[in-house]
Amino acid sequence: MTKGKLNGFFESFIKKDSLFVKKKALQLSYTPDQIVHRDTELNSVATILAPLLKMEKPSNLFVYGKTGTGKTLVVRYTCDELMVSAKANSIPVKIIYINCKLKKVADTEYRLVAQLVRELGRDIPATGLPTDEIYNFFFKLVDIKEQILLIVLDEIDQLIKKAGDEILYNMTRINSELKNAQISIVGISNDLLFADSLDPRIKSSLSEEELVFPPYNALQIKDILLERVKEAFKKGTIKPGVIEKCSAYAARNHGDARRALELLRVAGEIAERANKKKVELSDLDTAEEKIEKDKIIESVLIQPKQFLVVLYSVIEACADTKEKVFTGDVYDNYIRFSKESGLRPLTQRRVSDIICELDMLGIINAKVISKGRHGRMREITLSIPNDTKKKLYQIIKDSIHI
DNA sequence: CGAGATTCATGTGAAGTATACCTTTAGGCTTAA
DNA sequence: AAGCCTAAAGGTATACTTCACATGAATCTCGTA
């Protein structure tokens, strides 16, 4: 390649002035200084957790609400503020935030406790130790001094679904074995019905306090967007109507503010890349598609190879017979493809489980049906748009070398 | 014609296996007194 | 003799396999109207 071929591109990239001032403000992890329309919730959480500052154990708290209703934001914000106060008055408080959804981080009991120990500043191997040994590490680290530990478990429903509710039982029991320190748990769940599936004993001890976050309405989302746009974008880079459309769209989607923010950010990026001076309405539509597609593709590509081959087989089978396919067809395809790509074929039993997990990820839709004399099987449909499907097909094809 | 038996193709639970990784421990080697 | 390194022993978590049994409606069977 000729040297300097891209130089011009980079130069103009630097010179090109951005639509954004502070893109960070639109990112999900960003905690703004001002939280709008969540005053009551903020107050409740603060009231419940405040005893922390007097070295009393706060009640365990359970927070419910659909995605993008500000649960994580409010809890994190409160925790940050608490830490500031605690530090100022040198109160021994430690807050650990863990997102249980992240695969390979906290989706089993062992991994969760290991992660807790890591947060306390000690490295723990990913495998090889007995689980109760890990608990011991945890005890020792927590109990070395008098302190209060607040454990925030985000998306806790995912963890319980995968690993059972014994974890929570153990967690609530820990306190009685600690001499110096005390532990409180804050659980955050997207699933409103989650608590019903818990063992009543666990439920009562874990959710001493409960808080439900209602969805935002369109007006509220608009306010939130305005607040963030002020920080993130340069003045006058948003055409009138864009924010309104964005918030209306999000309000339709169960008041999901997270989506609205993402939509706006991606729309901004698209406009910027197209060298536009302003974000237009049409950018929103493009952004919506792109987000949808990216989200699916991203969630698929972090899966293990075997999952990809199974999914590939599903797509292939769908292409043949249109729409509905059954386990048998998929498995036949799977055997073929796994051989072609040099992977050791898994048994039908395992593939069955993988199909089930793909279903849980929302990429496919698998329903067990009985066809009478013709047996029982899963009826599988792809739950992704057509062009996403094609792109995904291509990407998987490349990544598993078929 | 209809109630009950049969059947198919796979779902599903339990238990076992393979793999990768961990700590402990004992033995051998090196080093320094 | 003390200290360090290494390899074996004994243990665990996780992903997967094997085995065995469960499912549930279309289909078959057969007694009855």
Side-chain angles (χ1 to χ4, degrees):
Chain A
M1 197 199 282
T2 329
K3 212 178 168 188
K5 206 174 181 181
L6 285 171
N7 208 15
F9 173 78
F10 288 137
E11 282 304 313
S12 67
F13 183 83
I14 294 170
K15 274 186 207 137
K16 187 164 83 183
D17 48 25
S18 168
L19 295 172
F20 296 103
V21 195
K22 193 167 131 195
K23 196 148 86 181
K24 211 174 67 181
L26 290 176
Q27 242 122 44
L28 303 176
S29 53
Y30 181 72
T31 316
D33 304 331
Q34 284 293 318
I35 298 185
V36 285
H37 295 303
R38 278 291 175 254
D39 299 336
T40 28
E41 285 79 8
L42 212 48
N43 267 327
S44 310
V45 175
T47 317
I48 292 164
L49 297 184
L52 208 72
L53 296 173
K54 287 188 182 167
M55 287 304 288
E56 290 163 18
K57 175 193 168 307
S59 302
N60 291 332
L61 169 66
F62 226 99
V63 179
Y64 301 99
K66 297 212 166 146
T67 42
T69 48
K71 305 179 298 291
T72 309
L73 179 63
V74 166
V75 171
R76 290 200 89 143
Y77 183 83
T78 317
C79 288
D80 287 350
E81 295 286 299
L82 268 174
M83 279 311 284
V84 171
S85 294
K87 275 222 178 90
N89 298 296
S90 52
I91 301 164
V93 170
K94 177 111 185 144
I95 299 178
I96 298 179
Y97 173 89
I98 290 186
N99 190 332
C100 304
K101 201 170 86 177
L102 301 176
K103 228 180 181 182
K104 302 273 177 189
V105 172
D107 60 350
T108 66
E109 179 167 20
Y110 179 94
R111 298 215 252 241
L112 173 68
V113 182
Q115 187 60 29
L116 283 173
V117 174
R118 271 186 217 117
E119 293 280 338
L120 289 169
R122 169 154 188 185
D123 205 34
I124 282 290
T127 169
L129 294 187
T131 307
D132 34 346
E133 191 70 14
I134 304 283
Y135 268 108
N136 280 339
F137 276 129
F138 182 58
F139 280 141
K140 270 185 212 149
L141 277 171
V142 173
D143 218 17
I144 38 172
K145 61 173 181 183
E146 204 173 316
Q147 64 172 338
I148 297 214
L149 185 65
L150 189 67
I151 302 175
V152 181
L153 299 176
D154 205 346
E155 319 230 14
I156 196 172
D157 42 342
Q158 302 280 332
L159 172 66
I160 303 308
K161 220 184 276 171
K162 267 203 124 164
D165 51 10
E166 253 173 70
I167 301 169
L168 294 180
Y169 182 68
N170 288 334
M171 281 298 185
T172 52
R173 236 192 30 202
I174 289 176
N175 266 326
S176 57
E177 298 189 19
L178 293 172
K179 289 201 180 71
N180 303 315
Q182 295 236 277
I183 294 181
S184 285
I185 299 172
V186 176
I188 303 179
S189 160
N190 293 324
D191 185 356
L192 295 156
L193 301 171
F194 167 62
D196 299 339
S197 61
L198 285 178
D199 185 317
R201 282 175 305 165
I202 297 171
K203 192 188 168 191
S204 66
S205 70
L206 194 63
S207 50
E208 293 164 340
E209 299 275 357
E210 276 188 12
L211 216 55
V212 178
F213 278 51
Y216 294 108
N217 63 34
L219 282 178
Q220 290 170 331
I221 291 182
K222 189 180 153 194
D223 287 342
I224 294 170
L225 288 180
L226 282 173
E227 195 66 33
R228 302 265 188 125
V229 163
K230 239 193 297 178
E231 287 190 59
F233 283 95
K234 278 188 189 156
K235 254 195 171 163
T237 46
I238 308 268
K239 277 204 172 169
V242 169
I243 290 183
E244 283 74 6
K245 185 176 176 191
C246 198
S247 48
Y249 169 77
R252 262 206 319 280
N253 271 302
H254 347 279
D256 187 345
R258 182 193 301 184
R259 257 189 102 93
L261 287 168
E262 203 179 2
L263 197 57
L264 206 52
R265 176 174 56 84
V266 174
E269 283 167 4
I270 288 171
E272 187 172 273
R273 209 165 298 160
N275 283 319
K276 291 185 191 169
K277 287 272 180 285
K278 293 187 176 194
V279 181
E280 295 170 24
L281 281 174
S282 61
D283 296 326
L284 277 182
D285 297 329
T286 325
E288 189 188 333
E289 276 174 41
K290 185 175 185 313
I291 287 176
E292 212 48 51
K293 199 185 275 187
D294 286 358
K295 205 180 275 176
I296 293 170
I297 289 175
E298 194 185 323
S299 71
V300 166
L301 284 183
I302 55 172
Q303 301 303 129
K305 275 200 169 169
Q306 294 285 8
F307 280 54
L308 295 184
V309 181
V310 173
L311 182 58
Y312 190 79
S313 313
V314 174
I315 298 178
E316 179 73 28
C318 280
D320 280 355
T321 52
K322 292 278 175 200
E323 293 301 307
K324 292 169 189 172
V325 288
F326 305 107
T327 317
D329 314 337
V330 173
Y331 191 67
D332 290 347
N333 275 343
Y334 167 77
I335 291 291
R336 196 150 50 86
F337 292 137
S338 60
K339 277 183 185 148
E340 275 176 40
S341 66
L343 244 57
R344 192 172 53 87
L346 301 176
T347 45
Q348 185 151 331
R349 178 72 185 80
R350 181 61 186 148
V351 172
S352 178
D353 279 351
I354 291 178
I355 290 175
C356 198
E357 287 185 50
L358 286 173
D359 180 37
M360 291 224 284
L361 282 169
I363 301 161
I364 63 176
N365 210 311
K367 188 170 74 180
V368 180
I369 54 158
S370 180
K371 288 201 138 221
R373 174 147 263 236
H374 305 295
R376 227 163 78 97
M377 57 200 84
R378 282 203 177 84
E379 180 187 276
I380 304 165
T381 44
L382 277 169
S383 49
I384 51 178
N386 233 332
D387 54 335
T388 311
K389 183 179 90 181
K390 277 180 198 144
K391 192 165 174 192
L392 199 55
Y393 185 81
Q394 203 54 50
I395 292 178
I396 299 179
K397 193 169 184 173
D398 293 343
S399 78
I400 54 179
H401 316 295
I402 291 186

mmCIF file of all heavy atoms in Angstrom, chain A residues 57-89:
data_model
loop_
_atom_site.group_PDB
_atom_site.id
_atom_site.type_symbol
_atom_site.label_atom_id
_atom_site.label_comp_id
_atom_site.label_asym_id
_atom_site.label_seq_id
_atom_site.Cartn_x
_atom_site.Cartn_y
_atom_site.Cartn_z
ATOM 1 N N LYS A 57 -27.022 -1.253 59.491
ATOM 2 C CA LYS A 57 -27.267 -1.983 58.259
ATOM 3 C C LYS A 57 -28.582 -1.527 57.637
ATOM 4 O O LYS A 57 -29.627 -1.610 58.273
ATOM 5 C CB LYS A 57 -27.351 -3.474 58.560
ATOM 6 C CG LYS A 57 -27.714 -4.309 57.362
ATOM 7 C CD LYS A 57 -28.078 -5.719 57.807
ATOM 8 C CE LYS A 57 -28.719 -6.522 56.701
ATOM 9 N NZ LYS A 57 -29.860 -5.907 56.068
ATOM 10 N N PRO A 58 -28.533 -1.039 56.411
ATOM 11 C CA PRO A 58 -29.783 -0.660 55.751
ATOM 12 C C PRO A 58 -30.595 -1.902 55.391
ATOM 13 O O PRO A 58 -30.042 -2.996 55.303
ATOM 14 C CB PRO A 58 -29.309 0.036 54.473
ATOM 15 C CG PRO A 58 -27.839 0.116 54.556
ATOM 16 C CD PRO A 58 -27.375 -0.848 55.570
ATOM 17 N N SER A 59 -31.889 -1.704 55.180
ATOM 18 C CA SER A 59 -32.709 -2.833 54.743
ATOM 19 C C SER A 59 -32.263 -3.286 53.367
ATOM 20 O O SER A 59 -31.765 -2.492 52.582
ATOM 21 C CB SER A 59 -34.167 -2.406 54.657
ATOM 22 O OG SER A 59 -34.619 -1.935 55.897
ATOM 23 N N ASN A 60 -32.447 -4.554 53.128
ATOM 24 C CA ASN A 60 -32.228 -5.016 51.762
ATOM 25 C C ASN A 60 -33.282 -4.383 50.881
ATOM 26 O O ASN A 60 -34.422 -4.208 51.293
ATOM 27 C CB ASN A 60 -32.344 -6.532 51.685
ATOM 28 C CG ASN A 60 -31.198 -7.218 52.387
ATOM 29 O OD1 ASN A 60 -30.095 -6.681 52.482
ATOM 30 N ND2 ASN A 60 -31.462 -8.406 52.905
ATOM 31 N N LEU A 61 -32.887 -4.077 49.679
ATOM 32 C CA LEU A 61 -33.798 -3.354 48.803
ATOM 33 C C LEU A 61 -33.944 -4.088 47.479
ATOM 34 O O LEU A 61 -32.995 -4.661 46.959
ATOM 35 C CB LEU A 61 -33.254 -1.941 48.557
ATOM 36 C CG LEU A 61 -33.907 -1.108 47.462
ATOM 37 C CD1 LEU A 61 -35.343 -0.782 47.828
ATOM 38 C CD2 LEU A 61 -33.114 0.164 47.234
ATOM 39 N N PHE A 62 -35.150 -4.055 46.985
ATOM 40 C CA PHE A 62 -35.401 -4.658 45.690
ATOM 41 C C PHE A 62 -36.021 -3.623 44.770
ATOM 42 O O PHE A 62 -37.018 -3.009 45.117
ATOM 43 C CB PHE A 62 -36.350 -5.840 45.851
ATOM 44 C CG PHE A 62 -35.875 -7.018 45.107
ATOM 45 C CD1 PHE A 62 -35.199 -8.032 45.748
ATOM 46 C CD2 PHE A 62 -36.080 -7.098 43.744
ATOM 47 C CE1 PHE A 62 -34.735 -9.115 45.046
ATOM 48 C CE2 PHE A 62 -35.604 -8.176 43.040
ATOM 49 C CZ PHE A 62 -34.932 -9.194 43.685
ATOM 50 N N VAL A 63 -35.426 -3.432 43.630
ATOM 51 C CA VAL A 63 -35.920 -2.419 42.700
ATOM 52 C C VAL A 63 -36.434 -3.089 41.435
ATOM 53 O O VAL A 63 -35.721 -3.869 40.810
ATOM 54 C CB VAL A 63 -34.797 -1.429 42.333
ATOM 55 C CG1 VAL A 63 -35.313 -0.397 41.362
ATOM 56 C CG2 VAL A 63 -34.258 -0.755 43.574
ATOM 57 N N TYR A 64 -37.667 -2.794 41.079
ATOM 58 C CA TYR A 64 -38.243 -3.328 39.846
ATOM 59 C C TYR A 64 -38.522 -2.209 38.859
ATOM 60 O O TYR A 64 -38.735 -1.074 39.258
ATOM 61 C CB TYR A 64 -39.590 -3.986 40.109
ATOM 62 C CG TYR A 64 -39.558 -5.103 41.070
ATOM 63 C CD1 TYR A 64 -39.925 -4.917 42.386
ATOM 64 C CD2 TYR A 64 -39.154 -6.362 40.654
ATOM 65 C CE1 TYR A 64 -39.911 -5.965 43.278
ATOM 66 C CE2 TYR A 64 -39.131 -7.405 41.544
ATOM 67 C CZ TYR A 64 -39.510 -7.206 42.858
ATOM 68 O OH TYR A 64 -39.493 -8.233 43.720
ATOM 69 N N GLY A 65 -38.604 -2.590 37.625
ATOM 70 C CA GLY A 65 -38.988 -1.620 36.613
ATOM 71 C C GLY A 65 -38.505 -2.097 35.267
ATOM 72 O O GLY A 65 -37.515 -2.804 35.176
ATOM 73 N N LYS A 66 -39.201 -1.724 34.219
ATOM 74 C CA LYS A 66 -38.793 -2.170 32.888
ATOM 75 C C LYS A 66 -37.483 -1.526 32.488
ATOM 76 O O LYS A 66 -37.018 -0.597 33.158
ATOM 77 C CB LYS A 66 -39.892 -1.792 31.893
ATOM 78 C CG LYS A 66 -41.193 -2.498 32.201
ATOM 79 C CD LYS A 66 -41.954 -2.783 30.930
ATOM 80 C CE LYS A 66 -43.055 -3.780 31.201
ATOM 81 N NZ LYS A 66 -44.230 -3.549 30.386
ATOM 82 N N THR A 67 -36.933 -1.993 31.399
ATOM 83 C CA THR A 67 -35.659 -1.433 30.955
ATOM 84 C C THR A 67 -35.805 0.043 30.659
ATOM 85 O O THR A 67 -36.836 0.487 30.160
ATOM 86 C CB THR A 67 -35.169 -2.122 29.666
ATOM 87 O OG1 THR A 67 -36.291 -2.285 28.817
ATOM 88 C CG2 THR A 67 -34.545 -3.453 29.952
ATOM 89 N N GLY A 68 -34.750 0.775 30.953
ATOM 90 C CA GLY A 68 -34.728 2.196 30.629
ATOM 91 C C GLY A 68 -35.657 3.040 31.462
ATOM 92 O O GLY A 68 -36.110 4.080 31.027
ATOM 93 N N THR A 69 -35.955 2.610 32.684
ATOM 94 C CA THR A 69 -36.778 3.448 33.539
ATOM 95 C C THR A 69 -35.935 4.124 34.615
ATOM 96 O O THR A 69 -36.466 4.699 35.544
ATOM 97 C CB THR A 69 -37.905 2.642 34.213
ATOM 98 O OG1 THR A 69 -37.346 1.454 34.775
ATOM 99 C CG2 THR A 69 -38.969 2.280 33.232
ATOM 100 N N GLY A 70 -34.635 3.995 34.474
ATOM 101 C CA GLY A 70 -33.750 4.737 35.357
ATOM 102 C C GLY A 70 -33.389 4.044 36.657
ATOM 103 O O GLY A 70 -32.868 4.674 37.554
ATOM 104 N N LYS A 71 -33.657 2.752 36.757
ATOM 105 C CA LYS A 71 -33.334 2.023 37.989
ATOM 106 C C LYS A 71 -31.851 2.093 38.303
ATOM 107 O O LYS A 71 -31.436 2.564 39.359
ATOM 108 C CB LYS A 71 -33.719 0.544 37.870
ATOM 109 C CG LYS A 71 -35.141 0.279 37.506
ATOM 110 C CD LYS A 71 -35.389 -1.205 37.383
ATOM 111 C CE LYS A 71 -34.574 -1.865 36.293
ATOM 112 N NZ LYS A 71 -34.971 -1.473 34.941
ATOM 113 N N THR A 72 -31.084 1.600 37.338
ATOM 114 C CA THR A 72 -29.643 1.555 37.538
ATOM 115 C C THR A 72 -29.104 2.949 37.804
ATOM 116 O O THR A 72 -28.301 3.156 38.716
ATOM 117 C CB THR A 72 -28.965 0.974 36.284
ATOM 118 O OG1 THR A 72 -29.608 -0.247 35.958
ATOM 119 C CG2 THR A 72 -27.506 0.724 36.541
ATOM 120 N N LEU A 73 -29.592 3.886 37.039
ATOM 121 C CA LEU A 73 -29.127 5.261 37.177
ATOM 122 C C LEU A 73 -29.358 5.780 38.588
ATOM 123 O O LEU A 73 -28.446 6.287 39.239
ATOM 124 C CB LEU A 73 -29.851 6.140 36.164
ATOM 125 C CG LEU A 73 -29.479 7.605 36.202
ATOM 126 C CD1 LEU A 73 -28.013 7.770 35.857
ATOM 127 C CD2 LEU A 73 -30.344 8.390 35.241
ATOM 128 N N VAL A 74 -30.587 5.624 39.071
ATOM 129 C CA VAL A 74 -30.923 6.145 40.394
ATOM 130 C C VAL A 74 -30.088 5.468 41.480
ATOM 131 O O VAL A 74 -29.536 6.127 42.358
ATOM 132 C CB VAL A 74 -32.432 5.959 40.683
ATOM 133 C CG1 VAL A 74 -32.731 6.170 42.146
ATOM 134 C CG2 VAL A 74 -33.241 6.913 39.835
ATOM 135 N N VAL A 75 -29.975 4.155 41.371
ATOM 136 C CA VAL A 75 -29.214 3.439 42.395
ATOM 137 C C VAL A 75 -27.744 3.851 42.366
ATOM 138 O O VAL A 75 -27.147 4.138 43.402
ATOM 139 C CB VAL A 75 -29.354 1.914 42.204
ATOM 140 C CG1 VAL A 75 -28.403 1.176 43.123
ATOM 141 C CG2 VAL A 75 -30.782 1.486 42.471
ATOM 142 N N ARG A 76 -27.202 3.917 41.180
ATOM 143 C CA ARG A 76 -25.790 4.293 41.077
ATOM 144 C C ARG A 76 -25.562 5.704 41.601
ATOM 145 O O ARG A 76 -24.600 5.982 42.302
ATOM 146 C CB ARG A 76 -25.313 4.209 39.621
ATOM 147 C CG ARG A 76 -25.227 2.808 39.109
ATOM 148 C CD ARG A 76 -24.319 2.744 37.901
ATOM 149 N NE ARG A 76 -22.956 2.517 38.321
ATOM 150 C CZ ARG A 76 -22.098 1.750 37.652
ATOM 151 N NH1 ARG A 76 -22.463 1.177 36.546
ATOM 152 N NH2 ARG A 76 -20.887 1.577 38.095
ATOM 153 N N TYR A 77 -26.464 6.575 41.210
ATOM 154 C CA TYR A 77 -26.331 7.970 41.618
ATOM 155 C C TYR A 77 -26.344 8.073 43.144
ATOM 156 O O TYR A 77 -25.494 8.713 43.751
ATOM 157 C CB TYR A 77 -27.479 8.780 41.005
ATOM 158 C CG TYR A 77 -27.429 10.255 41.295
ATOM 159 C CD1 TYR A 77 -26.634 11.091 40.525
ATOM 160 C CD2 TYR A 77 -28.171 10.798 42.336
ATOM 161 C CE1 TYR A 77 -26.578 12.441 40.780
ATOM 162 C CE2 TYR A 77 -28.124 12.165 42.602
ATOM 163 C CZ TYR A 77 -27.324 12.978 41.822
ATOM 164 O OH TYR A 77 -27.283 14.318 42.080
ATOM 165 N N THR A 78 -27.337 7.391 43.740
ATOM 166 C CA THR A 78 -27.432 7.416 45.192
ATOM 167 C C THR A 78 -26.169 6.864 45.836
ATOM 168 O O THR A 78 -25.647 7.410 46.802
ATOM 169 C CB THR A 78 -28.640 6.590 45.659
ATOM 170 O OG1 THR A 78 -29.740 6.878 44.819
ATOM 171 C CG2 THR A 78 -28.980 6.902 47.091
ATOM 172 N N CYS A 79 -25.687 5.774 45.266
ATOM 173 C CA CYS A 79 -24.488 5.156 45.809
ATOM 174 C C CYS A 79 -23.297 6.097 45.730
ATOM 175 O O CYS A 79 -22.522 6.219 46.688
ATOM 176 C CB CYS A 79 -24.169 3.866 45.057
ATOM 177 S SG CYS A 79 -25.323 2.555 45.443
ATOM 178 N N ASP A 80 -23.170 6.766 44.604
ATOM 179 C CA ASP A 80 -22.059 7.709 44.450
ATOM 180 C C ASP A 80 -22.123 8.788 45.526
ATOM 181 O O ASP A 80 -21.132 9.089 46.185
ATOM 182 C CB ASP A 80 -22.101 8.363 43.060
ATOM 183 C CG ASP A 80 -21.692 7.382 41.976
ATOM 184 O OD1 ASP A 80 -21.211 6.290 42.334
ATOM 185 O OD2 ASP A 80 -21.864 7.709 40.788
ATOM 186 N N GLU A 81 -23.322 9.340 45.683
ATOM 187 C CA GLU A 81 -23.491 10.394 46.679
ATOM 188 C C GLU A 81 -23.175 9.875 48.076
ATOM 189 O O GLU A 81 -22.525 10.537 48.875
ATOM 190 C CB GLU A 81 -24.934 10.923 46.636
ATOM 191 C CG GLU A 81 -25.277 11.618 45.340
ATOM 192 C CD GLU A 81 -24.632 12.992 45.235
ATOM 193 O OE1 GLU A 81 -24.928 13.841 46.085
ATOM 194 O OE2 GLU A 81 -23.829 13.190 44.298
ATOM 195 N N LEU A 82 -23.658 8.663 48.335
ATOM 196 C CA LEU A 82 -23.415 8.053 49.639
ATOM 197 C C LEU A 82 -21.922 7.923 49.894
ATOM 198 O O LEU A 82 -21.439 8.212 50.987
ATOM 199 C CB LEU A 82 -24.056 6.663 49.699
ATOM 200 C CG LEU A 82 -25.476 6.580 50.239
ATOM 201 C CD1 LEU A 82 -25.995 5.172 50.095
ATOM 202 C CD2 LEU A 82 -25.518 7.009 51.694
ATOM 203 N N MET A 83 -21.215 7.479 48.870
ATOM 204 C CA MET A 83 -19.782 7.287 49.021
ATOM 205 C C MET A 83 -19.088 8.605 49.324
ATOM 206 O O MET A 83 -18.160 8.656 50.128
ATOM 207 C CB MET A 83 -19.186 6.670 47.745
ATOM 208 C CG MET A 83 -19.372 5.169 47.637
ATOM 209 S SD MET A 83 -18.909 4.272 49.120
ATOM 210 C CE MET A 83 -17.129 4.312 48.994
ATOM 211 N N VAL A 84 -19.583 9.646 48.671
ATOM 212 C CA VAL A 84 -18.981 10.963 48.919
ATOM 213 C C VAL A 84 -19.137 11.336 50.389
ATOM 214 O O VAL A 84 -18.168 11.699 51.064
ATOM 215 C CB VAL A 84 -19.640 12.032 48.019
ATOM 216 C CG1 VAL A 84 -19.171 13.412 48.425
ATOM 217 C CG2 VAL A 84 -19.318 11.755 46.566
ATOM 218 N N SER A 85 -20.374 11.202 50.880
ATOM 219 C CA SER A 85 -20.621 11.513 52.291
ATOM 220 C C SER A 85 -19.806 10.624 53.206
ATOM 221 O O SER A 85 -19.231 11.072 54.191
ATOM 222 C CB SER A 85 -22.096 11.331 52.631
ATOM 223 O OG SER A 85 -22.852 12.268 51.942
ATOM 224 N N ALA A 86 -19.801 9.350 52.871
ATOM 225 C CA ALA A 86 -19.096 8.388 53.724
ATOM 226 C C ALA A 86 -17.619 8.731 53.790
ATOM 227 O O ALA A 86 -17.012 8.714 54.862
ATOM 228 C CB ALA A 86 -19.297 6.987 53.182
ATOM 229 N N LYS A 87 -17.068 9.066 52.640
ATOM 230 C CA LYS A 87 -15.638 9.397 52.612
ATOM 231 C C LYS A 87 -15.369 10.644 53.442
ATOM 232 O O LYS A 87 -14.429 10.704 54.223
ATOM 233 C CB LYS A 87 -15.193 9.631 51.163
ATOM 234 C CG LYS A 87 -14.833 8.341 50.457
ATOM 235 C CD LYS A 87 -13.557 8.522 49.619
ATOM 236 C CE LYS A 87 -13.166 7.207 48.962
ATOM 237 N NZ LYS A 87 -13.787 7.030 47.631
ATOM 238 N N ALA A 88 -16.248 11.645 53.260
ATOM 239 C CA ALA A 88 -16.057 12.910 53.964
ATOM 240 C C ALA A 88 -16.053 12.711 55.473
ATOM 241 O O ALA A 88 -15.315 13.366 56.200
ATOM 242 C CB ALA A 88 -17.147 13.882 53.564
ATOM 243 N N ASN A 89 -16.888 11.793 55.929
ATOM 244 C CA ASN A 89 -16.952 11.558 57.371
ATOM 245 C C ASN A 89 -16.174 10.312 57.785
ATOM 246 O O ASN A 89 -16.346 9.801 58.872
ATOM 247 C CB ASN A 89 -18.415 11.407 57.802
ATOM 248 C CG ASN A 89 -19.194 12.676 57.532
ATOM 249 O OD1 ASN A 89 -18.913 13.718 58.113
ATOM 250 N ND2 ASN A 89 -20.145 12.600 56.616
#
